Amino acid sequence: MNSISKDKELNNRIYIIPIIIVTCTIILIGFLIFNGIKNYYYDRMKEESIRLAKNYSLSLAKAAEAEDIINDLLEAKINTALMIASQGEYNNERFKDLAESLDVDEIDYYNAEGVLIISNIDAFFEREDGLWIIEDVHEIRDFLNSGAESFIGGIREDSISGNNFKYGYLRVGTDGCLIQVGVKAERIDNFLGSFGIQYLLDEIFAEGIALRISFIDNDNLIIGSSNKNYLKKSINDKQVLEVINTDKEHGRVIQLNNEEVYEVFVPVTIGNEKMGTLSIVQSFDETKSLITQVSIFGLLALIIIYLSLIYIIITSYQKNKSLMKLAYFDSLTGLPNLQYMKLFLKKEIANQKDKALLLINCSNFKIVNMIFGLDFGDEIIKGLSDKIKELSSENIFPFRFSGDRFGLYIQNYYTRENIVTITEEINEIFKQPFKVKNAEQYLDVKVGIMEFTNNYKNVDYLLRDVLIALNDIKSNEKLNYAFFNEDMDNRIKRQEKIERKIRNVLSNNDNKNLYLEYQPLVDLRTNKIVGFEALARLKSETLGDISPVEFIDIAEKKQLIVPLGNLILEIACNFINNIRNRGFKDIRIAVNVSGIQLLRDDFLYDIKRIMNKSNIDESLLELEITESVLLDNFDLINRKLKRLRDYRIKIALDDFGTGYSSFSRLRDLNIDILKIDRYFVNSLSKVGSKKLMTGSIIQMAHKLDLIVVAEGVEDEEQKRYLIENKCDIMQGFLFSKPLSEADTYKILAENKKS
Ligand code: C2E
Ligand code: MG
Ligand code: MG
């Protein structure tokens, strides 16, 4: 069973594969997102560093420019001070005032010998060694000797104070005297320093963006750094050197104090000239926490998407699984259903060796449902299916075929006996009553068996044949199982042909292939024809003449008996008119009616309609009914018979003696005529108890005021016996076989004469 149920379970692969794909995709997307976020922030760090470096380049360029301007300004300032100082009185007080107002540090007056005569700085005159005279090698001496009118020097150390100064000189008067104006270099340095490499670096560093900023000159020497320990150090790292020399921005992750940091190298240019490279080291902390935050956010979103997708896949899996169950498994018994069985057999018919299909049918299950109700029926089916499941093995697979039918597929059996053994096991199940709560119910079983001996191409044919085998088992047969065989098939095919013929006849009103023959009913006292029994005849091009016993039975099974019976009745009524028109009055026509017709609610209506149509004398119509129909519906039928007799229609009980009617019942039955079955009449020519019984039947029937007809009278002996025993009417080959309509006119004419 396991192998079979797995077959129609959901293929898990269809769901596992998408789950794997979704998982991998999500992991990949997660990885890409994380990397993307990381790269995005790295790029931002790099951009930030480049921005800093560019600013730095700009600042450097400006600083260089500024230095020139400041120098110019300073020189202008010194020149101005020289000019102003040279005009007016030369004394210490004035020089002091001028120094203050012109914001210079020193104004001196030297004579032509180089002796300091006047100065704003008192300390120069408080020397113990007297007045200060310019040394032989000195900037001022150079100026004195140069003969130039004025000169502004670079920054140098002041000979007296030792401080660095920038000095300007102007020759005053004609005797070679000069005025010197000095500005403290410290102030200039301070001022110009604010435009220097280190200063700018410190300023950028102060922004707090970087952990370390260094400036590497074109000789690969660190000439500025926020960390003084790096100053004046040469770059030796080959990788860094390579990067520096590419003149392109480059970022890398390095370790600094056991911490991962990001370092970028950005070339710094002024105009088109490369000044050096700026190295900016930034901490990852902030970026890392940003990366972590954004990544967590992204991952959370991904997890939500992932879980949603998995949820969708799982719910669709579960939904499909239950749909699959609904589609292929019977909800009551849990067994695979017919749909499944068909698909399963479709595969199995590929190789048809040693395989068989059993169809188990509970013949009385409908009654169980009707008596105990559907719930009880369901419980019984469940109990039965549990027992059938116990039969399953590696080679035996049970299915629920339909309502009270189960399929059992058997493979790899050796002989038919194996199958018979299984059938006996099935019979064993049914020998015990099925229990539901306190109630018990025995079930009858039939098993149709189909061995895969034919080359079946279609499961439908296979199922059809197993159904044929099942239907072929008659309730009264000894064996309750049957193997499908060709005869069954031929029977079914013949039945199908006959059914088609009947349908054809009905739809075309074909009275060539469906017609009536009439067998005379003869008064035993006068030997005169008093009536005819109408006997239906069906002709088929392929099957020839078909017995009414066969085609009436098929018409009953295929629900064709009502229209067929009505048609027969119409033909019979026409016949009544025809013989009447030919001058034969009082000739009664007996028409056989099926029990199914009688049971129909509209039977009386149909009879009236047909009689009205043909406008016959109702008393000339006789209806023959059989005992079997009375068995289960005595009262209902009897009421209908009364109504028919009220219309003046005669009723005959056909084939008396073969069924179950007793004389006690006959008394209550609304009939006019009793037809003794051929079987009894036949026995009249033989010696035995049946012969005695026939006479008694006639007598008893007469006591009930019934007209007695003997069927199947074939010889004179029988006739004699019947006359002796006062039988009223005879029917049989002795007088005439059933005749065509034309022949009835002849026989009537002859009979009239005789
Ligand atoms: P049934 O109503 O008992 O009809 C009498 C049958 O006995 C007829 O067979 C008839 O041909 C046959 N028979 C008559 N005399 C003799 C005889 O001396 N010896 C022998 N061996 N047979 C004789 P048939 O025509 O084959 O009809 C068989 C049965 O088919 C009828 O039995 C009747 O039950 C049924 N049947 C015939 N026609 C109709 C019909 O129109 N409607 C219905 N519902 N059943 C019909
Ligand atoms: Mg009859
Ligand atoms: Mg009969």
Side-chain angles (χ1 to χ4, degrees), residues 533 624 654-655 675 677 711:
E533 178 178 359
E624 291 190 10
D654 204 355
D655 303 339
K675 290 186 84 172
D677 191 73
E711 287 186 280

Short mmCIF file of all heavy atoms in Angstrom, two decimals, residues 533 624 654-655 675 677 711, ligand 3:
data_model
loop_
_atom_site.label_atom_id
_atom_site.label_comp_id
_atom_site.label_asym_id
_atom_site.label_seq_id
_atom_site.Cartn_x
_atom_site.Cartn_y
_atom_site.Cartn_z
N GLU A 533 -53.26 -14.15 -28.11
CA GLU A 533 -52.25 -13.49 -27.26
C GLU A 533 -51.27 -12.81 -28.19
O GLU A 533 -50.74 -13.43 -29.12
CB GLU A 533 -51.50 -14.49 -26.37
CG GLU A 533 -50.43 -13.77 -25.54
CD GLU A 533 -49.64 -14.65 -24.58
OE1 GLU A 533 -49.89 -15.85 -24.50
OE2 GLU A 533 -48.76 -14.08 -23.90
N GLU A 624 -51.92 -9.40 -19.55
CA GLU A 624 -51.34 -10.55 -18.85
C GLU A 624 -50.23 -10.06 -17.92
O GLU A 624 -49.31 -9.36 -18.36
CB GLU A 624 -50.76 -11.54 -19.86
CG GLU A 624 -51.82 -12.25 -20.66
CD GLU A 624 -51.26 -13.41 -21.48
OE1 GLU A 624 -50.08 -13.79 -21.29
OE2 GLU A 624 -52.00 -13.94 -22.33
N ASP A 654 -50.45 -14.73 -15.76
CA ASP A 654 -49.69 -15.55 -16.71
C ASP A 654 -48.80 -16.55 -15.96
O ASP A 654 -48.43 -16.33 -14.81
CB ASP A 654 -48.81 -14.59 -17.54
CG ASP A 654 -48.44 -15.19 -18.89
OD1 ASP A 654 -48.78 -16.35 -19.13
OD2 ASP A 654 -47.81 -14.46 -19.69
N ASP A 655 -48.45 -17.59 -16.66
CA ASP A 655 -47.44 -18.57 -16.17
C ASP A 655 -47.75 -19.05 -14.76
O ASP A 655 -46.82 -19.20 -13.93
CB ASP A 655 -46.03 -17.94 -16.19
CG ASP A 655 -45.65 -17.43 -17.56
OD1 ASP A 655 -46.26 -17.90 -18.54
OD2 ASP A 655 -44.77 -16.56 -17.65
N LYS A 675 -53.77 -18.34 -16.30
CA LYS A 675 -53.11 -19.09 -17.37
C LYS A 675 -52.14 -20.09 -16.74
O LYS A 675 -51.16 -19.69 -16.10
CB LYS A 675 -52.37 -18.13 -18.30
CG LYS A 675 -53.29 -17.27 -19.14
CD LYS A 675 -52.52 -16.43 -20.18
CE LYS A 675 -52.25 -17.26 -21.42
NZ LYS A 675 -51.68 -16.41 -22.49
N ASP A 677 -49.23 -22.52 -16.55
CA ASP A 677 -47.95 -22.51 -17.29
C ASP A 677 -47.76 -23.78 -18.11
O ASP A 677 -48.22 -24.86 -17.74
CB ASP A 677 -46.78 -22.35 -16.29
CG ASP A 677 -45.50 -22.07 -17.01
OD1 ASP A 677 -45.36 -20.93 -17.52
OD2 ASP A 677 -44.63 -22.98 -17.10
N GLU A 711 -51.67 -23.09 -21.25
CA GLU A 711 -50.65 -22.61 -22.21
C GLU A 711 -49.88 -23.81 -22.76
O GLU A 711 -49.72 -24.82 -22.06
CB GLU A 711 -49.64 -21.70 -21.51
CG GLU A 711 -50.15 -20.34 -21.14
CD GLU A 711 -49.01 -19.50 -20.60
OE1 GLU A 711 -48.65 -19.68 -19.42
OE2 GLU A 711 -48.48 -18.70 -21.38
MG MG B 3 -47.22 -17.69 -20.32
#
